[in-house]
Amino acid sequence: ARPYYEKILILEPHHLEAHVGMAEIYRNQGYLARSQEHYEKVLIEWNNNERIWRDYSQVLAGRRDYIKATQAMNRALELKIDIESLLSLARLNRLQSLKDEAYERLNQAMDLDREREEPLLQKSIWLMEDNRLQESLNLVTALLEKNP
């Protein structure tokens, strides 16, 4: 797909879908600086798309620009509160040693969908890492009772 997107961008440098495609391709290939450039071009006009803000945030996090990544993820959450964005923000908070905020985001994600296991498992792992073993065990035990 990359050659097609490149041709489209030669013909129409402001083609947003082609920029999104290139951003995703570069991100998957590990060229995060190039991916970031394409996302930034897209966000000039598509600044109300939470998925693009979330993907952009993840690129910034990959480049270890956690402050901008957090700002981008907060923008995604302003547009739409969803579990994926809450989990991503929790991970960003954790990377910045903002443990209380990270746990709060996980709690919000768990409140959105009580059946989804990922936030619960993530919280259990972090509790274990923080030497809060009994709390971790309680979460895992509850999960195993629901889904042995």
Short mmCIF file of all heavy atoms in Angstrom, two decimals, residues 78-129:
data_model
loop_
_atom_site.label_atom_id
_atom_site.label_comp_id
_atom_site.label_asym_id
_atom_site.label_seq_id
_atom_site.Cartn_x
_atom_site.Cartn_y
_atom_site.Cartn_z
N GLU A 78 -11.24 13.42 25.54
CA GLU A 78 -12.22 14.51 25.49
C GLU A 78 -13.25 14.25 24.39
O GLU A 78 -14.42 14.57 24.55
CB GLU A 78 -11.52 15.84 25.19
CG GLU A 78 -10.75 16.44 26.33
CD GLU A 78 -9.96 17.67 25.89
OE1 GLU A 78 -10.24 18.22 24.80
OE2 GLU A 78 -9.05 18.07 26.63
N LEU A 79 -12.78 13.67 23.31
CA LEU A 79 -13.66 13.41 22.17
C LEU A 79 -14.54 12.18 22.40
O LEU A 79 -15.70 12.16 22.00
CB LEU A 79 -12.83 13.23 20.90
CG LEU A 79 -12.08 14.48 20.47
CD1 LEU A 79 -11.08 14.16 19.37
CD2 LEU A 79 -13.06 15.56 19.99
N LYS A 80 -13.98 11.16 23.03
CA LYS A 80 -14.74 9.94 23.30
C LYS A 80 -14.04 9.14 24.39
O LYS A 80 -12.87 8.80 24.26
CB LYS A 80 -14.84 9.08 22.04
CG LYS A 80 -15.64 7.81 22.24
CD LYS A 80 -15.69 6.99 20.97
CE LYS A 80 -16.43 5.69 21.20
NZ LYS A 80 -16.36 4.83 20.03
N ILE A 81 -14.78 8.82 25.41
CA ILE A 81 -14.22 8.01 26.49
C ILE A 81 -14.41 6.55 26.11
O ILE A 81 -15.54 6.08 25.95
CB ILE A 81 -14.89 8.32 27.84
CG1 ILE A 81 -14.59 9.77 28.24
CG2 ILE A 81 -14.42 7.35 28.91
CD1 ILE A 81 -15.27 10.23 29.49
N ASP A 82 -13.30 5.85 25.92
CA ASP A 82 -13.36 4.43 25.60
C ASP A 82 -12.26 3.69 26.34
O ASP A 82 -11.31 4.28 26.86
CB ASP A 82 -13.28 4.18 24.09
CG ASP A 82 -11.97 4.63 23.47
OD1 ASP A 82 -10.98 4.81 24.20
OD2 ASP A 82 -11.92 4.76 22.25
N ILE A 83 -12.42 2.39 26.41
CA ILE A 83 -11.50 1.57 27.20
C ILE A 83 -10.08 1.63 26.64
O ILE A 83 -9.12 1.73 27.41
CB ILE A 83 -12.01 0.13 27.29
CG1 ILE A 83 -13.27 0.10 28.14
CG2 ILE A 83 -10.97 -0.81 27.87
CD1 ILE A 83 -13.95 -1.23 28.25
N GLU A 84 -9.94 1.58 25.33
CA GLU A 84 -8.60 1.58 24.73
C GLU A 84 -7.82 2.83 25.13
O GLU A 84 -6.65 2.76 25.48
CB GLU A 84 -8.69 1.46 23.22
CG GLU A 84 -9.30 0.17 22.73
CD GLU A 84 -8.63 -1.07 23.28
OE1 GLU A 84 -7.40 -1.11 23.41
OE2 GLU A 84 -9.36 -2.03 23.60
N SER A 85 -8.48 3.98 25.06
CA SER A 85 -7.81 5.23 25.41
C SER A 85 -7.50 5.29 26.90
O SER A 85 -6.43 5.77 27.30
CB SER A 85 -8.67 6.43 25.00
OG SER A 85 -8.80 6.47 23.60
N LEU A 86 -8.42 4.82 27.73
CA LEU A 86 -8.16 4.81 29.17
C LEU A 86 -6.99 3.90 29.51
O LEU A 86 -6.14 4.25 30.34
CB LEU A 86 -9.41 4.37 29.93
CG LEU A 86 -10.54 5.40 29.98
CD1 LEU A 86 -11.82 4.76 30.48
CD2 LEU A 86 -10.15 6.58 30.85
N LEU A 87 -6.91 2.73 28.87
CA LEU A 87 -5.78 1.83 29.11
C LEU A 87 -4.47 2.46 28.65
O LEU A 87 -3.45 2.36 29.33
CB LEU A 87 -6.00 0.50 28.40
CG LEU A 87 -7.09 -0.41 28.97
CD1 LEU A 87 -7.32 -1.60 28.06
CD2 LEU A 87 -6.72 -0.87 30.36
N SER A 88 -4.50 3.10 27.50
CA SER A 88 -3.29 3.75 27.00
C SER A 88 -2.85 4.87 27.93
O SER A 88 -1.66 5.02 28.21
CB SER A 88 -3.52 4.30 25.59
OG SER A 88 -3.68 3.26 24.67
N LEU A 89 -3.80 5.67 28.40
CA LEU A 89 -3.45 6.75 29.32
C LEU A 89 -2.92 6.18 30.64
O LEU A 89 -1.97 6.71 31.21
CB LEU A 89 -4.64 7.66 29.56
CG LEU A 89 -4.36 8.88 30.44
CD1 LEU A 89 -3.21 9.72 29.88
CD2 LEU A 89 -5.62 9.73 30.58
N ALA A 90 -3.51 5.10 31.11
CA ALA A 90 -3.02 4.46 32.34
C ALA A 90 -1.56 4.04 32.16
O ALA A 90 -0.73 4.26 33.05
CB ALA A 90 -3.88 3.25 32.70
N ARG A 91 -1.24 3.46 31.03
CA ARG A 91 0.14 3.03 30.77
C ARG A 91 1.08 4.24 30.69
O ARG A 91 2.22 4.19 31.19
CB ARG A 91 0.20 2.19 29.51
CG ARG A 91 -0.47 0.84 29.70
CD ARG A 91 -0.45 -0.03 28.46
NE ARG A 91 -1.21 -1.24 28.68
CZ ARG A 91 -2.32 -1.57 28.01
NH1 ARG A 91 -2.76 -0.80 27.03
NH2 ARG A 91 -2.96 -2.68 28.29
N LEU A 92 0.61 5.31 30.07
CA LEU A 92 1.42 6.53 30.02
C LEU A 92 1.65 7.08 31.43
O LEU A 92 2.76 7.50 31.77
CB LEU A 92 0.74 7.60 29.16
CG LEU A 92 0.84 7.43 27.67
CD1 LEU A 92 -0.10 8.39 26.95
CD2 LEU A 92 2.28 7.67 27.21
N ASN A 93 0.60 7.11 32.23
CA ASN A 93 0.74 7.57 33.61
C ASN A 93 1.75 6.73 34.36
O ASN A 93 2.60 7.24 35.09
CB ASN A 93 -0.60 7.54 34.34
CG ASN A 93 -1.61 8.54 33.85
OD1 ASN A 93 -2.81 8.32 33.96
ND2 ASN A 93 -1.17 9.66 33.31
N ARG A 94 1.68 5.43 34.18
CA ARG A 94 2.59 4.51 34.86
C ARG A 94 4.03 4.76 34.42
O ARG A 94 4.95 4.75 35.26
CB ARG A 94 2.16 3.07 34.55
CG ARG A 94 2.95 2.01 35.26
CD ARG A 94 2.47 1.79 36.65
NE ARG A 94 3.21 0.69 37.26
CZ ARG A 94 2.99 0.27 38.46
NH1 ARG A 94 2.06 0.81 39.21
NH2 ARG A 94 3.70 -0.73 38.96
N LEU A 95 4.25 4.99 33.12
CA LEU A 95 5.60 5.27 32.63
C LEU A 95 6.18 6.54 33.25
O LEU A 95 7.40 6.67 33.37
CB LEU A 95 5.59 5.41 31.10
CG LEU A 95 5.43 4.12 30.32
CD1 LEU A 95 5.16 4.42 28.85
CD2 LEU A 95 6.65 3.24 30.47
N GLN A 96 5.30 7.45 33.64
CA GLN A 96 5.74 8.71 34.25
C GLN A 96 5.73 8.65 35.77
O GLN A 96 5.84 9.67 36.44
CB GLN A 96 4.83 9.85 33.77
CG GLN A 96 4.91 10.08 32.28
CD GLN A 96 3.88 11.08 31.82
OE1 GLN A 96 4.10 12.28 31.95
NE2 GLN A 96 2.76 10.60 31.33
N SER A 97 5.57 7.44 36.31
CA SER A 97 5.53 7.20 37.76
C SER A 97 4.34 7.90 38.43
O SER A 97 4.40 8.24 39.61
CB SER A 97 6.84 7.65 38.42
OG SER A 97 7.91 6.88 37.93
N LEU A 98 3.27 8.09 37.68
CA LEU A 98 2.04 8.65 38.23
C LEU A 98 1.10 7.48 38.55
O LEU A 98 0.09 7.25 37.88
CB LEU A 98 1.40 9.61 37.22
CG LEU A 98 2.27 10.79 36.78
CD1 LEU A 98 1.63 11.53 35.62
CD2 LEU A 98 2.53 11.72 37.96
N LYS A 99 1.47 6.75 39.60
CA LYS A 99 0.77 5.50 39.90
C LYS A 99 -0.69 5.71 40.27
O LYS A 99 -1.55 4.95 39.82
CB LYS A 99 1.50 4.75 41.01
CG LYS A 99 2.85 4.23 40.58
CD LYS A 99 3.53 3.50 41.71
CE LYS A 99 4.89 3.01 41.28
NZ LYS A 99 5.57 2.29 42.36
N ASP A 100 -0.98 6.71 41.08
CA ASP A 100 -2.37 6.94 41.48
C ASP A 100 -3.25 7.23 40.26
O ASP A 100 -4.36 6.71 40.15
CB ASP A 100 -2.48 8.09 42.49
CG ASP A 100 -1.87 7.74 43.84
OD1 ASP A 100 -1.73 6.52 44.14
OD2 ASP A 100 -1.53 8.66 44.60
N GLU A 101 -2.73 8.07 39.36
CA GLU A 101 -3.48 8.40 38.14
C GLU A 101 -3.65 7.16 37.27
O GLU A 101 -4.71 6.95 36.68
CB GLU A 101 -2.78 9.51 37.36
CG GLU A 101 -2.83 10.87 38.01
CD GLU A 101 -1.70 11.12 39.00
OE1 GLU A 101 -1.03 10.14 39.44
OE2 GLU A 101 -1.49 12.29 39.36
N ALA A 102 -2.60 6.33 37.20
CA ALA A 102 -2.68 5.11 36.40
C ALA A 102 -3.76 4.18 36.94
O ALA A 102 -4.57 3.64 36.17
CB ALA A 102 -1.33 4.41 36.37
N TYR A 103 -3.79 3.99 38.24
CA TYR A 103 -4.82 3.14 38.84
C TYR A 103 -6.22 3.73 38.61
O TYR A 103 -7.17 3.00 38.35
CB TYR A 103 -4.58 2.95 40.34
CG TYR A 103 -3.48 1.97 40.66
CD1 TYR A 103 -2.38 2.35 41.41
CD2 TYR A 103 -3.56 0.65 40.24
CE1 TYR A 103 -1.37 1.45 41.72
CE2 TYR A 103 -2.55 -0.26 40.54
CZ TYR A 103 -1.46 0.15 41.28
OH TYR A 103 -0.46 -0.76 41.59
N GLU A 104 -6.33 5.04 38.70
CA GLU A 104 -7.63 5.68 38.47
C GLU A 104 -8.12 5.45 37.04
O GLU A 104 -9.30 5.15 36.82
CB GLU A 104 -7.55 7.19 38.76
CG GLU A 104 -8.85 7.93 38.56
CD GLU A 104 -10.00 7.40 39.40
OE1 GLU A 104 -9.77 6.91 40.53
OE2 GLU A 104 -11.15 7.45 38.92
N ARG A 105 -7.23 5.54 36.06
CA ARG A 105 -7.63 5.27 34.67
C ARG A 105 -8.06 3.82 34.50
O ARG A 105 -9.03 3.54 33.81
CB ARG A 105 -6.49 5.57 33.68
CG ARG A 105 -5.98 7.00 33.61
CD ARG A 105 -6.99 8.04 33.20
NE ARG A 105 -7.82 8.56 34.25
CZ ARG A 105 -7.46 9.40 35.23
NH1 ARG A 105 -6.23 9.81 35.34
NH2 ARG A 105 -8.33 9.81 36.13
N LEU A 106 -7.35 2.90 35.15
CA LEU A 106 -7.75 1.49 35.08
C LEU A 106 -9.13 1.29 35.72
O LEU A 106 -9.96 0.54 35.19
CB LEU A 106 -6.73 0.59 35.76
CG LEU A 106 -5.40 0.39 35.04
CD1 LEU A 106 -4.48 -0.50 35.87
CD2 LEU A 106 -5.61 -0.20 33.67
N ASN A 107 -9.37 1.95 36.83
CA ASN A 107 -10.68 1.84 37.48
C ASN A 107 -11.78 2.38 36.56
O ASN A 107 -12.86 1.78 36.48
CB ASN A 107 -10.68 2.59 38.81
CG ASN A 107 -9.84 1.89 39.86
OD1 ASN A 107 -9.57 0.70 39.77
ND2 ASN A 107 -9.39 2.65 40.85
N GLN A 108 -11.50 3.47 35.88
CA GLN A 108 -12.48 4.01 34.94
C GLN A 108 -12.75 3.01 33.81
O GLN A 108 -13.91 2.82 33.40
CB GLN A 108 -12.00 5.34 34.35
CG GLN A 108 -12.02 6.49 35.32
CD GLN A 108 -11.41 7.75 34.73
OE1 GLN A 108 -10.47 7.70 33.93
NE2 GLN A 108 -11.96 8.89 35.11
N ALA A 109 -11.69 2.39 33.31
CA ALA A 109 -11.85 1.40 32.24
C ALA A 109 -12.68 0.22 32.74
O ALA A 109 -13.55 -0.28 32.03
CB ALA A 109 -10.49 0.94 31.74
N MET A 110 -12.42 -0.22 33.96
CA MET A 110 -13.18 -1.34 34.52
C MET A 110 -14.64 -0.96 34.72
O MET A 110 -15.52 -1.78 34.52
CB MET A 110 -12.54 -1.81 35.83
CG MET A 110 -11.20 -2.48 35.60
SD MET A 110 -10.28 -3.11 37.04
CE MET A 110 -10.94 -2.37 38.45
N ASP A 111 -14.90 0.29 35.08
CA ASP A 111 -16.29 0.74 35.25
C ASP A 111 -17.04 0.77 33.92
O ASP A 111 -18.26 0.56 33.91
CB ASP A 111 -16.33 2.14 35.88
CG ASP A 111 -15.94 2.12 37.35
OD1 ASP A 111 -15.96 1.03 37.97
OD2 ASP A 111 -15.60 3.20 37.88
N LEU A 112 -16.33 1.02 32.83
CA LEU A 112 -16.99 1.06 31.51
C LEU A 112 -17.46 -0.31 31.07
O LEU A 112 -18.49 -0.44 30.41
CB LEU A 112 -16.05 1.62 30.45
CG LEU A 112 -15.88 3.13 30.40
CD1 LEU A 112 -14.91 3.52 29.28
CD2 LEU A 112 -17.20 3.84 30.21
N ASP A 113 -16.69 -1.34 31.40
CA ASP A 113 -17.05 -2.69 30.98
C ASP A 113 -16.53 -3.68 32.02
O ASP A 113 -15.35 -4.04 32.02
CB ASP A 113 -16.45 -3.00 29.60
CG ASP A 113 -16.88 -4.34 29.05
OD1 ASP A 113 -17.52 -5.12 29.78
OD2 ASP A 113 -16.54 -4.63 27.88
N ARG A 114 -17.42 -4.12 32.88
CA ARG A 114 -17.05 -5.03 33.96
C ARG A 114 -16.65 -6.41 33.46
O ARG A 114 -15.99 -7.16 34.16
CB ARG A 114 -18.23 -5.18 34.94
CG ARG A 114 -18.50 -3.93 35.73
CD ARG A 114 -17.49 -3.82 36.82
NE ARG A 114 -17.72 -2.62 37.61
CZ ARG A 114 -16.85 -2.18 38.48
NH1 ARG A 114 -15.74 -2.82 38.69
NH2 ARG A 114 -17.10 -1.10 39.17
N GLU A 115 -17.03 -6.77 32.25
CA GLU A 115 -16.71 -8.09 31.71
C GLU A 115 -15.33 -8.14 31.05
O GLU A 115 -14.80 -9.23 30.85
CB GLU A 115 -17.79 -8.50 30.69
CG GLU A 115 -19.18 -8.60 31.28
CD GLU A 115 -19.25 -9.59 32.43
OE1 GLU A 115 -18.72 -10.72 32.28
OE2 GLU A 115 -19.83 -9.23 33.48
N ARG A 116 -14.78 -7.01 30.73
CA ARG A 116 -13.49 -6.98 30.04
C ARG A 116 -12.38 -7.28 31.03
O ARG A 116 -12.26 -6.65 32.08
CB ARG A 116 -13.29 -5.62 29.38
CG ARG A 116 -12.04 -5.56 28.58
CD ARG A 116 -12.25 -4.93 27.25
NE ARG A 116 -10.98 -4.81 26.56
CZ ARG A 116 -10.70 -3.85 25.75
NH1 ARG A 116 -11.60 -2.93 25.47
NH2 ARG A 116 -9.54 -3.80 25.16
N GLU A 117 -11.53 -8.22 30.69
CA GLU A 117 -10.50 -8.70 31.61
C GLU A 117 -9.22 -7.88 31.59
O GLU A 117 -8.50 -7.83 32.59
CB GLU A 117 -10.18 -10.16 31.30
CG GLU A 117 -11.34 -11.09 31.53
CD GLU A 117 -11.04 -12.52 31.13
OE1 GLU A 117 -9.93 -12.81 30.64
OE2 GLU A 117 -11.93 -13.37 31.32
N GLU A 118 -8.90 -7.26 30.48
CA GLU A 118 -7.61 -6.59 30.35
C GLU A 118 -7.34 -5.55 31.43
O GLU A 118 -6.25 -5.55 32.02
CB GLU A 118 -7.47 -5.98 28.95
CG GLU A 118 -6.10 -5.41 28.70
CD GLU A 118 -5.97 -4.85 27.29
OE1 GLU A 118 -6.95 -4.86 26.52
OE2 GLU A 118 -4.86 -4.38 26.99
N PRO A 119 -8.28 -4.63 31.73
CA PRO A 119 -7.98 -3.66 32.80
C PRO A 119 -7.74 -4.33 34.14
O PRO A 119 -6.86 -3.93 34.90
CB PRO A 119 -9.22 -2.77 32.83
CG PRO A 119 -9.93 -2.99 31.55
CD PRO A 119 -9.57 -4.37 31.10
N LEU A 120 -8.51 -5.36 34.42
CA LEU A 120 -8.37 -6.07 35.69
C LEU A 120 -7.02 -6.78 35.79
O LEU A 120 -6.34 -6.71 36.82
CB LEU A 120 -9.51 -7.08 35.82
CG LEU A 120 -9.70 -7.64 37.21
CD1 LEU A 120 -11.02 -7.13 37.78
CD2 LEU A 120 -9.73 -9.14 37.16
N LEU A 121 -6.62 -7.43 34.71
CA LEU A 121 -5.32 -8.10 34.70
C LEU A 121 -4.18 -7.10 34.82
O LEU A 121 -3.22 -7.34 35.55
CB LEU A 121 -5.17 -8.93 33.43
CG LEU A 121 -6.04 -10.18 33.35
CD1 LEU A 121 -5.96 -10.78 31.95
CD2 LEU A 121 -5.63 -11.20 34.39
N GLN A 122 -4.30 -5.97 34.10
CA GLN A 122 -3.26 -4.95 34.17
C GLN A 122 -3.14 -4.42 35.59
O GLN A 122 -2.04 -4.26 36.12
CB GLN A 122 -3.58 -3.80 33.21
CG GLN A 122 -2.49 -2.74 33.15
CD GLN A 122 -1.21 -3.28 32.56
OE1 GLN A 122 -1.13 -3.48 31.36
NE2 GLN A 122 -0.21 -3.52 33.37
N LYS A 123 -4.27 -4.15 36.21
CA LYS A 123 -4.25 -3.65 37.58
C LYS A 123 -3.63 -4.67 38.53
O LYS A 123 -2.82 -4.32 39.40
CB LYS A 123 -5.66 -3.28 38.04
CG LYS A 123 -5.69 -2.63 39.41
CD LYS A 123 -7.07 -2.14 39.76
CE LYS A 123 -7.05 -1.46 41.12
NZ LYS A 123 -8.37 -0.96 41.50
N SER A 124 -3.96 -5.93 38.34
CA SER A 124 -3.40 -6.98 39.19
C SER A 124 -1.88 -7.04 39.06
O SER A 124 -1.16 -7.18 40.06
CB SER A 124 -4.04 -8.31 38.83
OG SER A 124 -3.46 -9.34 39.59
N ILE A 125 -1.39 -6.94 37.85
CA ILE A 125 0.06 -6.98 37.62
C ILE A 125 0.73 -5.79 38.30
O ILE A 125 1.76 -5.93 38.96
CB ILE A 125 0.37 -7.02 36.12
CG1 ILE A 125 -0.04 -8.38 35.55
CG2 ILE A 125 1.85 -6.73 35.85
CD1 ILE A 125 -0.04 -8.43 34.04
N TRP A 126 0.15 -4.60 38.12
CA TRP A 126 0.75 -3.42 38.74
C TRP A 126 0.71 -3.50 40.26
O TRP A 126 1.66 -3.09 40.93
CB TRP A 126 0.07 -2.16 38.24
CG TRP A 126 0.44 -1.80 36.83
CD1 TRP A 126 1.42 -2.34 36.07
CD2 TRP A 126 -0.20 -0.82 36.02
NE1 TRP A 126 1.44 -1.76 34.82
CE2 TRP A 126 0.46 -0.82 34.77
CE3 TRP A 126 -1.26 0.06 36.21
CZ2 TRP A 126 0.11 0.04 33.73
CZ3 TRP A 126 -1.61 0.91 35.18
CH2 TRP A 126 -0.94 0.90 33.96
N LEU A 127 -0.38 -4.00 40.81
CA LEU A 127 -0.44 -4.16 42.26
C LEU A 127 0.66 -5.10 42.75
O LEU A 127 1.30 -4.86 43.78
CB LEU A 127 -1.82 -4.69 42.68
CG LEU A 127 -2.97 -3.70 42.59
CD1 LEU A 127 -4.32 -4.42 42.74
CD2 LEU A 127 -2.83 -2.59 43.62
N MET A 128 0.88 -6.17 42.00
CA MET A 128 1.93 -7.11 42.36
C MET A 128 3.30 -6.42 42.28
O MET A 128 4.13 -6.56 43.18
CB MET A 128 1.89 -8.32 41.42
CG MET A 128 2.80 -9.45 41.85
SD MET A 128 2.57 -10.95 40.87
CE MET A 128 2.82 -10.37 39.21
N GLU A 129 3.54 -5.65 41.20
CA GLU A 129 4.81 -4.94 41.07
C GLU A 129 5.02 -3.93 42.20
O GLU A 129 6.15 -3.68 42.60
CB GLU A 129 4.86 -4.20 39.73
CG GLU A 129 5.02 -5.12 38.53
CD GLU A 129 4.92 -4.38 37.20
OE1 GLU A 129 4.67 -3.15 37.19
OE2 GLU A 129 5.08 -5.03 36.17
#
